Amino acid sequence: MNKLKIISWNANGIRTRMKNKDTDPIFESEPDIILFQETKAEYEQIDKKFLEECGYNYYFLKGESARTGGLATFTKESPKIVKSFFNESNDALRRTSVLEFNDFILIHIYAPAGTGNKAKLVEKLEFFDELLKLAKKFADKKVIIGGDFNIAHTENDIFDINTKVTFKEEERKVLDDLESLGYVDTLRLFNKDKIYSSWKNQEAKENNEGSRLDYFFVSKELVDNVKSSEILVDIDSSKHAPIELNLE
């Protein structure tokens, strides 16, 4: 496949990030694809002049409300197919865009947090049940799954395994199951240390007390194409740092 650079970021309000020029370093680095989660905006609310001048095709999936959720996907190459594969009647599950290109399939996700009560956790696990079904269906193809998974997988993905935000066994198992299908956590191809992409505040980031919730997974058919995978910790206007994947 040709060289491919993808950046994913839980922006926590894309209009604010654009207004404050926080997204400038991302667009200026000219990735082939940009994934934004928690946009808190619909297409109609984005600066049309910016969209006209950005040089990308763009696809928006609105969140459950103006204050939560939402995906935006920017691509230089036009995909053949763009769809949301979850039940349109269930807002909590409408958090996934599937884009099929000539050389690969991209699954862009923003998983529910699953916190607050048992029903929220059930909702989250239902979301991942559907994702795993799709991942299994495409397992023998060239697939990239990227975004905010809202799960810290192992003890190296969270600063304190005993902290209150430790994820439940059934949540962590989701990523075990994804790996059992042949998908690979690309960051761990290059870095086995404790490393994080999300922090509750700036003080926690300075103290290196975070969790890794943002991932790029690739199917076994793409593992040999992965050239780098990293967390862009210097971009910190959101509680999440962007992540970057390079393939060729």
Side-chain angles (χ1 to χ4, degrees), residues 33-35 57-60 71-85 96-109 134 138 142-144 146:
I33 300 174
I34 308 172
L35 313 178
N57 303 290
Y58 39 84
Y59 309 93
F60 288 81
L71 299 179
T73 307
F74 289 76
T75 71
K76 288 185 177 180
E77 177 186 345
S78 298
K80 297 186 297 182
I81 300 172
V82 181
K83 59 186 176 181
S84 174
F85 70 90
T96 302
S97 292
V98 182
L99 298 91
E100 297 188 27
F101 295 87
N102 289 326
D103 296 331
F104 63 95
I105 297 169
L106 173 65
I107 303 174
H108 177 192
I109 78 165
L134 190 68
F138 290 150
K142 294 181 177 181
V143 181
I144 303 165

Side-chain angles (χ1 to χ4, degrees), residues 154 156-157 185-196 212 215 226-231 233:
T154 71
N156 278 354
D157 300 311
D185 177 353
T186 59
L187 182 77
R188 292 308 181 195
L189 292 172
F190 305 94
N191 191 325
K192 307 297 184 183
D193 299 331
K194 277 185 171 287
I195 186 169
Y196 317 122
R212 187 165 72 104
Y215 299 81
V226 177
K227 298 306 175 186
S228 68
S229 184
E230 60 183 314
I231 301 171
V233 294

Side-chain angles (χ1 to χ4, degrees), residues 33-91:
I33 300 174
I34 308 172
L35 313 178
F36 290 112
Q37 304 90 48
E38 202 171 354
T39 57
K40 301 181 181 179
E42 299 179 38
Y43 162 75
E44 291 80 8
Q45 297 172 295
I46 304 300
D47 183 339
K48 296 303 180 290
K49 182 178 180 181
F50 171 84
L51 291 176
E52 290 171 1
E53 297 176 351
C54 73
Y56 288 85
N57 303 290
Y58 39 84
Y59 309 93
F60 288 81
L61 186 63
K62 68 179 182 179
E64 301 91 274
S65 72
R67 296 184 177 182
T68 59
L71 299 179
T73 307
F74 289 76
T75 71
K76 288 185 177 180
E77 177 186 345
S78 298
K80 297 186 297 182
I81 300 172
V82 181
K83 59 186 176 181
S84 174
F85 70 90
F86 289 146
N87 186 346
E88 292 290 331
S89 66
N90 189 334
D91 283 342

Side-chain angles (χ1 to χ4, degrees), residues 227-242:
K227 298 306 175 186
S228 68
S229 184
E230 60 183 314
I231 301 171
L232 306 179
V233 294
D234 292 336
I235 300 177
D236 60 3
S237 54
S238 168
K239 291 182 179 180
H240 291 247

